[in-house]
């Protein structure tokens, strides 16, 4: 069984859906509202657990009703919460708009997520025994993510960085990443795949929504990964499921190209229900969705020497 350690945010999502997005200065009437559990770290941990991985979450919630509800939901999903701190103040909140096409717009108020410290992260990761993949995203302070990467490097663990929300990253962090998983907008902020590879990233996987994704490795042309079929309801959390599935696959020893294809199928499944955790797939469901005509394309696209995973 794979082990995955997620370092990241825990939020409560306030979601309004239906119709279209408002333009600047405009008010629109939307059709549905829900208050759900979210945060990139929480979403990634829930996705990894649903896929069958032994999952640990390192983060922080507030000492409020939302924090207690978030902790209870995560525990009910079987996630190990020894690394989840409770701190004074409010739990993080995300305000999410979803249009009729399933596209979303998100604003985050970080709350307790800002309190995550390098010392807490290092201790929490060192407390996890055995092989594991480490996943991190950028809704928590950058020093905490740097500590996660350093701890992963010390233990020889794969480090998967989902650079969202995007910001310039120090080369010392990028060089410790096994895989970086930006979307197209985030990639622009980060200076492009070539820049990330030059800074030392092992690989870059660019997620492109309905256009699939693209695998970049040093010294080889990009490899396009076709999208898996999906009946899209809401794209919120699809990137988190993709990143979690990639970590689960790499922790299980899958070659990187196969892991990317499997993660793409997981991300597609995640779009087929409302909310970031509305359709977290099982490993069996991902296997079924991934069984499509491109299953051998990636394996033959890269020389075996470039597949250290």
């Amino acid at each position: 069984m794979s082990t995955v350690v997620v370092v990241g945010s825990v939020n409560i999502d306030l979601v309004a859906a239906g119709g279209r997005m408002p333009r600047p200065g405009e008010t629109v009437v939307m059709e549905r509202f829900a208050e759900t559990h979210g945060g990139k770290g929480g979403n990634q941990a829930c996705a990894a657990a649903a896929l069958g991985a032994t999952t640990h979450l390192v983060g922080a919630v507030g000492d409020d009703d939302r924090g207690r509800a978030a902790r209870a939901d995560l525990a009910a999903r079987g996630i190990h919460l020894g690394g989840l701190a409770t701190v004074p103040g409010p739990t993080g909140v995300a305000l999410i708009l979803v249009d009729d096409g399933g596209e979303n717009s998100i604003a985050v108020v970080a709350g307790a997520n800002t309190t995550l410290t390098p010392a807490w992260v290092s201790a929490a990761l060192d407390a996890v025994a055995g092989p594991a993949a480490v996943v991190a995203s950028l809704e928590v302070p950058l020093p905490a993510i740097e500590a996660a990467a350093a701890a992963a490097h010390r233990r020889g663990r794969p480090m998967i960085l989902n650079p969202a929300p995007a910001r310039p990253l120090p080369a010392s962090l990028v060089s410790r990443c096994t895989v970086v998983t930006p979307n197209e907008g985030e990639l622009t902020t980060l200076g492009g795949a070539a820049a990330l590879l030059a800074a030392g990233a092992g690989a870059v996987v660019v997620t492109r929504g309905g256009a699939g994704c693209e695998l970049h490795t040093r010294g080889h042309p990009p490899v396009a990964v076709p999208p898996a079929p999906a009946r899209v309801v809401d794209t919120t959390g699809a990137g988190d499921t993709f990143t979690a599935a990639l970590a689960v696959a790499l922790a299980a020893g899958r070659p990187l190209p196969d892991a990317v294809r499997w993660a793409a199928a997981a991300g597609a499944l995640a779009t087929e229900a409302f909310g970031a955790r509305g359709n977290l797939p099982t490993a069996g469901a991902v296997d079924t969705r991934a069984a499509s005509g491109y299953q051998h394309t990636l394996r033959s696209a890269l020389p075996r020497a470039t597949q250290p995973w």
Side-chain angles (χ1 to χ4, degrees):
M1 181 180 292
S2 301
T3 297
V4 172
V5 185
V6 178
V7 180
S9 60
V10 178
N11 293 330
I12 297 298
D13 291 348
L14 306 179
V15 186
R20 62 175 178 80
M21 301 288 183
R23 292 184 288 270
E26 181 186 27
T27 298
V28 299
V29 176
M30 305 196 91
E31 298 167 3
R32 303 183 302 282
F33 173 80
E35 182 170 331
T36 62
H37 296 287
K40 296 190 73 63
N43 293 342
Q44 290 163 357
C46 289
L51 290 165
T54 299
T55 305
H56 301 257
L57 177 59
V58 181
V61 295
D63 60 352
D64 55 2
D65 287 344
R66 284 177 170 151
R68 287 184 283 275
R71 183 180 287 275
D73 179 75
L74 293 162
R77 297 173 187 268
I79 297 166
H80 296 270
L81 300 178
L84 184 65
T86 298
V87 300
T91 298
V93 173
L95 309 175
I96 303 174
L97 301 179
V98 182
D99 68 18
D100 279 340
E103 293 299 324
N104 65 66
S105 179
I106 304 172
V108 175
V109 182
N113 295 304
T114 64
T115 69
L116 195 61
T117 66
W120 179 267
V121 170
S122 295
L125 265 68
D126 286 344
V128 177
V134 178
V135 177
S137 53
L138 300 179
E139 288 182 346
V140 297
L142 189 60
I145 302 306
E146 293 178 293
H153 183 73
R154 282 197 307 272
R155 300 286 291 273
R157 292 169 166 170
M159 172 74 187
I160 298 93
L161 177 64
N162 178 212
R167 67 184 84 171
L169 299 175
S172 58
L173 170 58
V174 175
S175 66
R176 288 173 167 165
C177 293
T178 307
V179 187
V180 184
T181 63
N183 64 25
E184 291 178 291
E186 292 155 359
L187 185 67
T188 298
T189 300
L190 296 170
L196 291 170
L197 293 172
V204 178
V205 179
V206 183
T207 57
R208 303 173 61 209
C213 57
E214 200 168 62
L215 172 60
H216 298 254
T217 54
R218 199 175 296 108
H220 298 278
V223 177
V225 183
R231 293 186 175 182
V232 177
V233 173
D234 180 4
T235 60
T236 305
D240 294 333
T241 297
F242 176 94
T243 297
L246 183 63
V248 171
L250 293 178
R254 290 188 186 226
L256 178 59
D258 285 351
V260 171
R261 177 178 58 84
W262 200 73
L269 283 162
T271 69
E272 295 186 339
F274 183 65
R277 304 180 193 173
N279 192 43
L280 296 178
T282 64
V286 178
D287 288 341
T288 299
R289 186 64 59 93
S292 59
Y294 62 85
Q295 61 186 4
H296 300 298
T297 301
L298 294 183
R299 192 174 296 168
S300 62
L302 293 176
R304 185 171 295 278
T306 69
Q307 301 177 18
W309 298 277

